[in-house]
Amino acid sequence: MVETTRTSISSVINERAIDNLPVNGRNFLDFATLTPGVVRDPTRQGDLAVGGQKGTLNSLQVDGADNNNTFFGQSFGRTGTRPPYQFSEESVQEFQVNQNGFSAEFGRAGGAVINVVTKSGTNEWHGSAFEFFRDEALNSNTPVLTARGAKRPKSQINQFGGTIGGPIKRDRAFFFFAYDGQRSNIPNVVDPPNFFAQPASVRNLLLPFLDTYQIGRDQDVYMIKSDIRLNDSNQLVLRFNQQNFTGNNNENSGPLSVEEHSGNSIAKTTTFSGSLISTLTPVLINEIRFQFGRDREPGEANSDVTEARIQTGGGFLQLGRNNFSPRETTIKRAQFIDVVSYTRGKPNLKFGADLNFDRVFNFFPGLFSGQFTFNSYALFASNTPATFVQNFPGAGTTGGTTNPDLNEYGLFVQDDWRVSPKLTLNLGLRYDLQDLADPTVKNPSAALAAAGLDTTTPIRDGNNLAPRFGFSYAFDDKTVLRGGYGIFFGRTPAIMLGTAHSQNGIQVTGVSLNCALVPNPCPAYPNIFSAPPSAGGVNPSLYLFAKDYAQPYIQQGRLGIERELFANTSLSISYLYFRGVHISRTRDINLAPPVPTTVTDPAGLTFTVLRHPAARPIPGFARISLFESTADSRYNALAMELKRRFTRGFQFIAAYTLSDTSDNRPD
């Protein structure tokens, strides 16, 4: 019940819990929040926050292979945001949440490493089938639709699938297959403020846009896995997983976004991975792992009409094509891992290499299709826009297309040393290098050069050595004291790199026009420019990396005790410490020092506040956003976990965490 040789703080969610606990949406990663120190990230939907760190600093490993989307800093398929999950709950054997102090074998994470093990076939035939269904019959109508006299809209969620596994050849080869499907339709009610106070002519113009529309999720997930005992010394495991997701009208939604302002979000992920475990001698084992994967995520647009934003007095009603679709981000991955384990006497030595190569295609044409802003319903009805903005691809450049590729190299050595029957030491050292593609478009501005700024500034941080130490001392077979400290380097998401590649003032240009000027410089709504006009160009905003940018890392520390209270039940109490160093954030450096400024509020009262002057110190540019590694964070927690393993038909985990966290606004 008490693992007397484990030094890290970790929790296991086993197959029985996954199979039997209810979870809304059937995403098995939701179970991670049952463990101490783990919550949903409050700033980005779908992410897990561990130790007060942002979700981009976690790592999801499936059967020992990297399952992270390195562009957005989330899992493959960006599950939990639009797609519900990439691996079916039915295909997961168990998973471990390493909250603090994981082995040097795992890197590229400063928060938690979540290790997932998928199911395998056995000598016995096993199968399952399931269906979960929800219908609008259990819902009440919304107040908005009730006021309009509209019927309760269709709202359905249907999840279904099954598994089968068994022998290919008894005692030699096995297979396991899982299928998981989801179909859902949830209504999106469009309800702009102050709409029914408008004249009938205005209402009649806009009513055709305000229909309630369906937001749907259509997903199919397949997994097939084979375990083959080649001979007494070699075991081969192969796994293929496919996710096909179409999120109907998932690109944009809400009460102020009409259907034509949305579009379908698509995710198609493919992973093929395997491992060959070879017993070379009685004391020497070699494991080779590989993975080939693709995460393709295009977003479609429902309309070609130029975007229009109408001020309602309670936000902007949005019509036409949204300003970021169509879009696409695709990652193609090749990963190779080799791990050697040597056990002789008290030391248990493990060392190896982890090589990961991602080729990234990113297409993001923000505002390329133009955007009109109208200051009221009436001004929209009279086609009197206030402003117009449009971006253009720079001549001779790739415009909104970038390739922020990355190569990752990891080397590690880990010694789990059983000093005595009571004392175990974990000594580890890991080296990580994230080689990011250099920005190539240089802005020739003399003002930039005079300020020491260069839009082709590369990321060069090659000294990322991460030592780790842990200990466990067993007073007896029921009580253990654990502790340790380590350094854990995280990733720089490629979305930062892609932004630096394109937002250099050359690759993307734009105009921002005041339509109230005479003569009116704006095109007539809904038209846009086919080429940049001679007037109206804006000072571009730049994004670039600081010359001293460094990879983020987290210092993790822990000290805890675990005691078996009675048979099959234990209590652990642990202190957890996380200190974020060189955490990335973005800062506008093109600001003059703030000066006292007198302002007047709507009631006529005057105040003196500090405000940056409108004039920019570096002329010719608006914001100059520098990607820095200057943020930090602190997290202290007392975590308690009471758990009982399955006995007499009953098991449980009960956790309580008292924590305090602070940071200076990493992003």
Side-chain angles (χ1 to χ4, degrees), residues 501-537:
H501 278 214
S502 63
Q503 302 302 313
N504 44 51
I506 303 296
Q507 191 157 326
V508 176
T509 62
V511 295
S512 179
L513 303 174
N514 181 351
C515 302
L517 296 178
V518 178
N520 187 346
C522 300
Y525 172 78
N527 299 317
I528 63 174
F529 294 114
S530 59
S534 58

Side-chain angles (χ1 to χ4, degrees), residues 445-461:
S445 166
L448 282 181
L453 299 173
D454 187 346
T455 58
T456 60
T457 299
I459 298 176
R460 291 287 181 268
D461 184 14

Side-chain angles (χ1 to χ4, degrees), residues 16-35:
R16 193 176 300 275
I18 296 171
D19 284 348
N20 292 286
L21 288 176
V23 57
N24 185 12
R26 291 178 54 77
N27 183 355
F28 71 90
L29 287 176
D30 286 339
F31 292 126
T33 59
L34 301 179
T35 61

Side-chain angles (χ1 to χ4, degrees), residues 352-374:
D354 181 352
L355 311 178
N356 190 67
F357 307 101
D358 281 3
R359 297 297 170 261
V360 184
F361 169 82
N362 184 55
F363 173 62
F364 189 82
L367 289 169
F368 280 24
S369 56
Q371 179 191 83
F372 286 88
T373 299
F374 297 86

Side-chain angles (χ1 to χ4, degrees), residues 40-192:
R40 282 295 179 186
D41 191 324
T43 60
R44 191 159 76 159
Q45 180 184 4
D47 287 4
L48 295 171
V50 181
Q53 306 305 312
K54 55 185 179 178
T56 57
L57 290 173
N58 298 325
S59 178
L60 178 64
Q61 306 283 313
V62 179
D63 294 328
D66 191 305
N67 201 66
N68 299 288
N69 180 303
T70 51
F71 186 85
F72 292 106
Q74 297 175 304
S75 61
F76 248 35
R78 300 189 73 195
T79 55
T81 51
R82 292 183 176 95
Y85 42 78
Q86 186 200 5
F87 283 85
S88 170
E89 185 181 346
E90 300 290 313
S91 66
V92 176
Q93 178 78 23
E94 65 178 12
F95 69 95
Q96 179 190 50
V97 182
N98 293 281
Q99 299 103 313
N100 191 297
F102 45 87
S103 164
E105 181 178 355
F106 302 106
R108 304 167 188 146
V113 167
I114 300 176
N115 287 317
V116 178
V117 179
T118 58
K119 292 180 180 178
S120 298
T122 68
N123 275 330
E124 305 298 326
W125 287 93
H126 291 280
S128 66
F130 67 90
E131 181 176 19
F132 298 89
F133 182 69
R134 185 191 307 175
D135 185 80
E136 72 270 8
L138 298 178
N139 297 344
S140 63
N141 206 353
T142 69
V144 173
L145 295 180
T146 300
R148 294 180 184 175
K151 294 182 179 180
R152 178 176 52 195
K154 180 180 180 181
S155 178
Q156 294 183 342
I157 300 176
N158 191 17
Q159 295 173 276
F160 51 90
T163 67
I164 187 170
I168 300 173
K169 184 176 182 180
R170 292 186 64 84
D171 299 325
R172 299 283 297 190
F174 316 92
F175 83 96
F176 179 83
F177 174 79
Y179 165 74
D180 190 309
Q182 180 174 142
R183 307 289 185 268
S184 70
N185 279 289
I186 305 298
N188 185 92
V189 179
V190 181
D191 181 31

